[in-house]
Amino acid sequence: MPQILMPYTVHLDHTLRVTPLNTLFAKGDSAAHRFELTILSAGVQEDLTGCTVFCKFYRMAESAVVDVDGSIEDGKAIAVLNKACYDYIGRFALTIAIQKGEEKTT
């Protein structure tokens, strides 16, 4: 399966909300989904230089948590799901947090 790009724009001055994912996640995939988050504040793209991206994939069926590598590329927060995210069929949740130094995490 070719990698599926999942672009999102996060407006820091708006209420954050749960976003349903309308795409196919297939058992046995690996790195099939790449999440790219553009972060805006007051309509201007945030400078993510020096930020760290933390991602967690929660598999609800067995209450497992999978750490997902995150990075900053071209001013966007990136998360690519690893093989462990596709090992089991069932409901899941994904959280992506961005932290700059010791400052707040969004």
Side-chain angles (χ1 to χ4, degrees), residues 35 47 49 54 60 95 103:
F35 293 84
D47 179 9
T49 303
F54 300 95
M60 307 301 190
T95 61
E103 296 177 21

Side-chain angles (χ1 to χ4, degrees), residues 11-95:
H11 298 269
L12 296 180
D13 36 333
H14 296 172
T15 303
L16 296 180
R17 65 187 191 284
V18 174
T19 303
L21 303 176
N22 297 318
T23 186
L24 176 65
F25 289 76
K27 184 175 180 180
D29 275 347
S30 179
H33 295 82
R34 175 186 173 94
F35 293 84
E36 293 188 356
L37 280 66
T38 301
I39 312 299
L40 301 180
S41 180
V44 177
Q45 186 168 347
E46 283 285 309
D47 179 9
L48 301 181
T49 303
C51 289
T52 304
V53 179
F54 300 95
C55 309
K56 300 276 186 192
F57 184 93
Y58 301 89
R59 291 194 315 238
M60 307 301 190
E62 72 278 1
S63 299
V65 179
V66 177
D67 289 321
V68 175
D69 291 333
S71 62
I72 302 294
E73 296 176 20
D74 298 324
K76 298 178 182 178
I78 306 296
V80 178
L81 301 186
N82 58 45
K83 185 177 179 330
C85 296
Y86 303 97
D87 282 348
Y88 296 92
I89 296 172
R91 293 177 49 118
F92 68 88
L94 174 68
T95 61

